[in-house]
Amino acid sequence: LEDTGNAMNNSTKDGSKKVVKEMVTPKQAKALKKEGYRIIGTHSAVKLCRWTKHQLRGRGGCYKHTFYGITSYQCMEATPSLACANKCVFCWRHHKNPVGREWRWKVDDPNEIVDAAVKEHVSMIKEARGIPGVKKDRWEEAHTVRHCALSLVGEPIMYPRIDEFLADLHRRSISTFLVTNGQHPTAIENLRPITQLYVSVDASTPETLEAIDRPLFKDAWDRLRTSLKCLKDKGQRTVARLTVVKGWNSDEVAGYAKLIALGHCSLVEVKGVTFCGKSDASNLNMTNTPWHHEVVALTQNLQKELAKLRAASGDETDNNNRIPEYGLACEHKHSCSVLLARVDQFAVDDPVSGKRRWRTWIDYDKFHKLAARNAEDSTYTFGVEDYVVDTPSWALFGAEEEGFDPTDTRHRKKKKYPKYTKFDSDGIPTHDDDGNLLTESERKGLINLMIEKKKQLGDGVSVIDLKGGEKVIDDASLMFRGLTVTK
């Protein structure tokens, strides 16, 4: 049947053979390779994540390490499809990859892609041996890939043989974190159980979705909503991923809550956008990147809006239709990321202390056993609670470590430290670079400076719309943040 399908796809109405193009043009391949991509076959790629290199050096792991317990230096960032159906303004790849609504290219073998991806990744790990500070034991362990983040670039779920691709990763005991932009709901519905499935929720209205994601599909909003509804019945861990772009999609929190409620998502990741520099493909600037405290405030408001929807969602005994309760579980300040988690799936009451205990980390060995059993017998099902483990105290929301693993050492470039370490609700510093309380005289001087700044801006915040849609934000409450001292 597969051969018949390929033959039909490769022939025209008059019976002549149709030439199927390769996805990546030589020009695109050259641009991607220049940025560190290793191109695999005709439509796939891997790249070494900066967090892999960070944790190899003992300088901290990524947010997935904090939230879910992955080993960042054993994680492979990859994609089986460099093409995407969106041209998001915040895309960190500056749109050097192809675009398309549907697959119209040659299809590479999934097992060959996985095999080549692992080999290329391990090759890059070997090259990382020369990076100053790499820990030998971690470098040796990194030769075994344990996790795969399918979020490199493009839309992985577009790949026609994605299910076989995921199955091969699972056979190798590699966990799967797949991110989709929610434009292919049928593919989401048909997907096999994976470790964690993400849908990007970049806007809360059809208008802002059009402005932020710049989708190729005219019915992009409906596709997103349908994709989120598909999550409700997946059975395994599902995530609504919000990328906050200040001045673009940081308002209308109630709208985000309504979208999340469609899928009863297991988890909600709220992350500030990472500014990746100026380019012709994006009109963002550094002022569109929110501070961690702003992401925290948005997440807290989102939690309140979800609680309102839950209160209004009807019968308390109808767990299938009632919107779940969400709690603030984890944070990773370095990534400006906060995690909301479903209380019914990830929280238990400690029998000794009576306090809530979060279990957002993953038992990866248990997941692979469950996934293998499902692969052998598709009638066998398993759920979120079947492969959870306790979240360590340092990873919890509000912890002193702010999501930084204490077994690693925090590194600061050029020995620069924040000039002020704590602030009040108005953004006025309360503590100096050593954590000492500022004097009343010092605080008064800073307050007067902010008063003057607010007078200049009018209401304390100025948004200037520039040519090409760029928005420049000047916020008086942030004037003292980002200041540094050299030690």
Side-chain angles (χ1 to χ4, degrees):
L1 283 173
E2 185 178 316
D3 291 339
T4 303
N6 287 334
M8 292 174 65
N9 289 332
N10 294 337
S11 61
T12 59
K13 289 182 179 179
D14 61 5
S16 60
K17 196 166 185 179
K18 182 172 68 174
V19 177
V20 181
K21 295 181 179 180
E22 293 186 356
M23 178 186 287
V24 183
T25 66
K27 184 178 179 181
Q28 289 169 332
K30 183 179 179 180
L32 290 166
K33 288 176 182 177
K34 190 177 179 180
E35 292 194 358
Y37 290 83
R38 298 284 181 95
I39 306 299
I40 296 167
T42 66
H43 52 71
S44 307
V46 293
K47 186 180 181 183
L48 202 62
C49 175
R50 71 182 182 95
W51 287 109
T52 298
K53 291 179 277 189
H54 273 316
Q55 203 177 42
L56 278 172
R57 304 168 80 184
R59 295 183 175 184
C62 67
Y63 82 89
K64 288 191 188 75
H65 172 63
T66 298
F67 293 178
Y68 315 121
I70 79 161
T71 307
S72 300
Y73 60 80
Q74 290 183 293
C75 182
M76 175 177 71
E77 194 172 25
T79 182
S81 169
L82 285 160
C84 189
N86 287 355
K87 296 179 286 184
C88 304
V89 297
F90 55 77
C91 183
W92 58 336
R93 306 310 183 191
H94 298 314
H95 309 293
K96 292 181 173 67
N97 56 305
V99 294
R101 288 190 295 269
E102 59 186 19
W103 195 275
R104 59 179 188 275
W105 305 280
K106 178 183 176 182
V107 180
D108 295 338
D109 181 84
N111 305 107
E112 292 178 5
I113 296 172
V114 173
D115 192 56
V118 171
K119 288 178 180 176
E120 288 289 352
H121 176 82
V122 172
S123 173
M124 289 186 283
I125 290 294
K126 289 178 180 178
E127 292 172 7
R129 182 68 180 94
I131 298 175
V134 166
K135 294 180 177 293
K136 189 173 183 293
D137 58 336
R138 293 188 177 186
W139 179 77
E140 290 173 348
E141 290 174 6
H143 287 68
T144 301
V145 178
R146 294 197 62 221
H147 315 285
C148 183
L150 293 162
S151 56
L152 178 61
V153 68
E155 173 54 85
I157 212 166
M158 274 182 73
Y159 174 48
R161 300 179 69 178
I162 184 65
D163 212 54
E164 298 167 79
F165 177 86
L166 294 165
D168 194 358
L169 288 169
H170 291 167
R171 279 194 296 270
R172 297 167 187 253
S173 295
I174 298 174
S175 66
T176 45
F177 292 78
L178 188 150
V179 181
T180 170
N181 57 30
Q183 294 302 292
H184 302 276
T186 303
I188 291 174
E189 190 174 13
N190 295 335
L191 204 65
R192 71 171 52 239
I194 63 173
T195 313
Q196 197 153 282
L197 175 62
Y198 293 73
V199 170
S200 295
V201 183
D202 303 324
S204 58
T205 67
E207 295 75 22
T208 49
L209 183 74
E210 187 71 28
I212 288 281
D213 282 0
R214 299 186 293 197
L216 300 185
F217 284 108
K218 292 182 179 179
D219 60 343
W221 178 253
D222 293 332
R223 286 173 172 270
L224 174 62
R225 286 175 54 85
T226 304
S227 294
L228 288 166
K229 289 176 183 177
C230 289
L231 298 185
K232 189 176 178 181
D233 300 318
K234 290 309 292 183
Q236 291 73 48
R237 297 164 70 113
T238 58
V239 187
R241 184 176 188 175
L242 281 62
T243 300
V244 183
V245 187
K246 195 173 178 182
W248 289 76
N249 65 356
S250 51
D251 299 324
E252 298 293 332
V253 175
Y256 284 117
K258 290 175 183 176
L259 289 173
I260 293 163
L262 291 175
H264 288 204
C265 303
S266 303
L267 303 153
V268 183
E269 291 179 6
V270 186
K271 184 183 184 302
V273 68
T274 300
F275 179 61
C276 299
K278 299 291 291 183
S279 78
D280 295 335
S282 175
N283 45 16
L284 299 187
N285 58 71
M286 195 63 191
T287 69
N288 302 132
T289 299
W291 287 82
H292 183 64
H293 74 280
E294 294 178 298
V295 174
V296 169
L298 188 149
T299 308
Q300 290 171 329
N301 289 333
L302 178 60
Q303 181 193 22
K304 291 175 183 175
E305 290 297 332
L306 286 165
K308 288 179 185 177
L309 293 177
R310 173 177 167 80
S313 61
D315 189 355
E316 294 185 11
T317 62
D318 187 2
N319 292 326
N320 289 327
N321 294 311
R322 196 176 190 216
I323 295 167
E325 178 187 356
Y326 291 88
L328 289 158
C330 304
E331 65 179 323
H332 188 247
K333 187 176 182 180
H334 197 147
S335 296
C336 286
S337 301
V338 182
L339 180 70
L340 286 174
R342 279 179 54 165
V343 172
D344 61 323
Q345 292 180 335
F346 299 102
V348 293
D349 292 329
D350 190 294
V352 178
S353 66
K355 294 181 179 179
R356 177 177 291 175
R357 192 171 81 243
W358 287 107
R359 311 192 74 205
T360 63
W361 276 35
I362 297 171
D363 184 335
Y364 293 99
D365 292 336
K366 182 72 177 294
F367 167 78
H368 290 304
K369 289 178 182 177
L370 296 168
R373 186 172 173 185
N374 172 267
E376 293 174 0
D377 177 8
S378 60
T379 63
Y380 174 76
T381 59
F382 60 97
V384 173
E385 297 92 331
D386 293 327
Y387 55 107
V388 296
V389 290
D390 287 355
T391 311
S393 60
W394 59 263
L396 298 175
F397 180 82
E400 184 181 356
E401 295 87 351
E402 298 175 319
F404 187 87
D405 189 336
T407 62
D408 286 332
T409 303
R410 193 181 298 272
H411 175 77
R412 298 187 185 277
K413 290 184 178 180
K414 299 178 182 177
K415 297 183 179 180
K416 288 187 176 180
Y417 291 77
K419 186 173 182 178
Y420 302 108
T421 53
K422 292 184 181 180
F423 303 81
D424 65 16
S425 59
D426 295 320
I428 305 293
T430 59
H431 293 70
D432 66 14
D433 57 295
D434 289 322
N436 299 317
L437 191 67
L438 296 178
T439 65
E440 284 299 316
S441 175
E442 289 173 321
R443 292 234 328 135
K444 187 174 181 180
L446 296 172
I447 289 170
N448 288 335
L449 287 173
M450 185 174 285
I451 290 172
E452 287 300 315
K453 180 74 172 180
K454 286 183 175 180
K455 286 180 180 178
Q456 294 173 15
L457 298 178
D459 62 355
V461 180
S462 169
V463 180
I464 303 173
D465 293 315
L466 301 181
K467 186 178 179 180
E470 184 176 356
K471 301 173 189 285
V472 177
I473 302 166
D474 195 353
D475 188 339
S477 71
L478 304 176
M479 65 182 293
F480 299 116
R481 295 181 185 267
L483 301 178
T484 60
V485 295
T486 302
K487 294 185 179 182

